[in-house]
Amino acid sequence: MNGDHPARQDLLAGEYVLGLLRGPARRRFERLLLTDPGLQARTRFWEDRFATWLDALPPVVPAPRVWHAIVARLGRDERAGLGQRLAVAAALVAALALGFLLRPAPAPVFETTHVATVADAAGQPLWLIELDAESARLAVRALLAEPPPAGKSYELWMLPGEGRAPVSLGLLPREGRVVTVLTPDRVVLLRQATGLAVSLEPAGGSPTGLPTGPVLFQAALTAT
Amino acid sequence: MPVLPYTLETDKGEPMAETAAGDARNARLADLLYRSASGDRAAFAALYRETAPTLFAWLLRLLRRRALAEEVLQDVFVSVWQHAAEYDAAKGRVMSWLARMTRNRALDRLRRERRLVPLDELAAAEEGGEAPEEPRSHVEERALAECFEALAEGPRRSLRLAYLSGLSHEEIARALGAPLGTVKSWVRRGLASLKRCLEGA
């Protein structure tokens, strides 16, 4: 590859940016690119120009599941230590307070059948909630949620509709992902629920079994 | 008309200079990227909201299968999160940086997947897809559009099919019914003329 001649460099850089250098030719070019400032400048020239074509494409908003999957992978890649311990602690509190069973590491693969994203008024996703109706498991992952005020907890509720009272689904974790096992009747209720709600409660959850604090967020649970 | 998933913030009603609009957007994206690099997930979410619809539209054209495009988009943004600290504003626009990652990952996938859409249909789609010229937002874009229009038909169609639809030399040749050698020379001539025109602009 005669990389020194300017016109040749422009051509190679242009073909690279157009996606026309394939396989070994692309690898070779990328190796040169690492150390050759002139080639870097020529490549940038084409990248900045051709990228303007992208702005003319009619944008297509990806399905929410793509963002959910990205966030799930970020969590898996970076949060192993403290976050996980906090999540387990939060789950234990939730399990004790509300009488749910907690399985520390469920063996079967979690198959999401229903999903909800709790978002704030600005649309920032705060928690991702997934239901595996087959195995009666509910997974809650903290996304961009802020910690609750001191002495408070966020509690998740399902709204069964038809005038029936909200039913608690446990406390929301500050960090990490918490999986709880629901009783069968709760799964039935949840599948028919009209929505989910998050209220601010005293630390450890509502003392009455019904929301006592303000309802901060609502979300819809949809089948995947 | 497609509905944009976000609104562009501009100063109160004051028309921006053409370059300022592009630069302001780039500065905003760069800021979101820097904040992502320091672990700010809200900034990362905002970056995704603003750039994913464009990259996804491109991936749908490059890969032609939604499931594949979604997979690659996921990979791209996980990679953006992990490598955000490596972006250097001195080395090009944020969109160019994102586009490079997107294109390379898409090409890697294309090598492994067989194309499902006959190429002549693609070429037809490309023909029909020529949108009427919209008002351009910044100088680089307008310069490219002007110089691009000055190219002969063969080079012009070859460059678009390569960049926007991810076709190889061989596939462009088949799509346009031209010999491979001709397509290679169209690309070379097209790039050389564009470079001369853009530098003269």
Side-chain angles (χ1 to χ4, degrees):
Chain A
M1 195 180 286
N2 176 8
D4 291 329
H5 192 275
R8 170 88 180 135
Q9 281 206 336
D10 272 331
L11 174 63
L12 278 175
E15 290 190 326
Y16 171 68
V17 174
L18 290 171
L20 289 170
L21 295 187
R22 305 275 170 117
R26 191 181 116 202
R27 306 288 167 217
R28 246 189 339 262
F29 181 87
E30 284 175 337
R31 270 202 303 280
L32 288 174
L33 196 56
L34 285 176
T35 54
D36 185 337
L39 201 58
Q40 287 166 11
R42 290 168 202 283
T43 303
R44 271 202 309 280
F45 175 88
W46 290 119
E47 282 183 329
D48 285 349
R49 267 34 172 222
F50 285 126
T52 62
W53 279 354
L54 299 181
D55 295 332
L57 289 179
V60 182
V61 179
R65 62 175 171 270
V66 179
W67 173 247
H68 294 156
I70 291 166
V71 170
R73 283 172 62 184
L74 305 186
R76 196 160 59 230
D77 293 347
E78 65 174 356
R79 300 213 180 263
L82 179 65
Q84 216 159 52
R85 287 202 297 279
L86 281 174
V88 169
L92 272 174
V93 169
L96 289 174
L98 298 149
F100 295 157
L101 285 167
L102 172 76
R103 285 184 194 161
V109 176
F110 192 99
E111 301 274 0
T112 303
T113 57
H114 297 71
V115 66
T117 307
V118 178
D120 66 14
Q124 300 285 353
L126 305 178
W127 289 278
L128 173 66
I129 294 155
E130 292 168 284
L131 172 68
D132 177 349
E134 293 306 311
S135 66
R137 283 178 297 170
L138 188 74
V140 181
R141 178 187 290 284
L143 302 177
L144 301 171
E146 297 285 328
K152 300 282 185 185
S153 294
Y154 294 121
E155 188 160 358
L156 179 67
W157 306 86
M158 67 167 136
L159 310 172
E162 294 170 3
R164 280 177 293 177
V167 177
S168 176
L169 291 170
L171 300 184
L172 286 163
R174 287 174 51 175
E175 284 193 274
R177 184 170 185 261
V178 176
V179 180
T180 53
V181 177
L182 303 176
T183 56
D185 60 309
R186 286 221 157 101
V187 175
V188 172
L189 272 181
L190 193 50
R191 295 179 75 154
Q192 299 162 352
T194 56
L196 301 173
V198 174
S199 70
L200 190 63
E201 301 293 338
S206 162
T208 67
L210 287 173
T212 61
V215 171
L216 303 175
F217 313 108
Q218 296 207 19
L221 187 70
T222 49
T224 53
Chain B
M1 278 296 288
V3 178
L4 289 176
Y6 52 85
T7 49
L8 287 174
E9 289 165 27
T10 56
D11 292 330
K12 300 171 185 67
E14 266 179 51
M16 285 188 189
E18 278 173 337
T19 42
D23 289 348
R25 175 162 193 255
N26 189 57
R28 193 156 34 88
L29 293 181
D31 177 56
L32 292 175
L33 200 50
Y34 289 138
R35 282 160 54 199
S36 301
S38 65
D40 181 342
R41 289 199 180 195
F44 183 59
L47 181 71
Y48 178 85
R49 274 200 306 279
E50 180 147 345
T51 59
T54 294
L55 297 175
F56 189 53
W58 192 27
L59 282 170
L60 286 171
R61 290 177 75 121
L62 293 173
L63 298 168
R64 264 153 265 142
R65 278 166 56 196
R66 186 168 284 266
L68 217 53
E70 288 185 351
E71 241 174 78
V72 173
L73 188 66
Q74 255 186 54
D75 290 346
V76 166
F77 273 90
V78 170
S79 183
V80 167
W81 174 257
Q82 288 163 346
H83 297 280
E86 291 162 28
Y87 169 73
D88 178 355
K91 293 187 175 175
R93 294 173 174 278
V94 174
M95 267 319 273
S96 304
W97 189 74
L98 294 173
R100 183 189 292 191
M101 273 202 242
T102 303
R103 178 193 63 227
N104 286 344
R105 281 178 182 274
L107 291 182
D108 288 340
R109 282 311 289 266
L110 272 183
R111 284 178 64 201
R112 302 207 298 269
E113 307 282 337
R114 290 196 59 79
R115 291 173 182 280
L116 296 179
V117 178
L119 290 166
D120 48 349
E121 276 179 33
L122 259 179
E126 197 68 30
E127 295 294 290
E130 297 277 352
E133 289 301 305
E134 289 165 21
R136 298 297 176 171
S137 58
H138 52 83
V139 163
E140 270 164 5
E141 189 169 356
R142 201 178 52 188
L144 179 69
E146 281 169 8
C147 292
F148 188 70
E149 287 313 309
L151 296 181
E153 191 194 356
R156 207 170 59 222
R157 293 173 72 188
S158 302
L159 296 188
R160 275 185 75 90
L161 284 170
Y163 188 81
L164 286 174
S165 301
L167 267 56
S168 66
H169 283 118
E170 291 78 8
E171 289 165 331
I172 295 169
R174 264 156 49 212
L176 298 182
L180 179 59
T182 304
V183 168
K184 287 188 171 174
S185 110
W186 278 344
V187 169
R188 282 197 296 272
R189 272 168 33 209
L191 285 171
S193 313
L194 270 186
K195 180 84 181 181
R196 273 196 307 275
C197 175
L198 287 166
E199 283 182 336

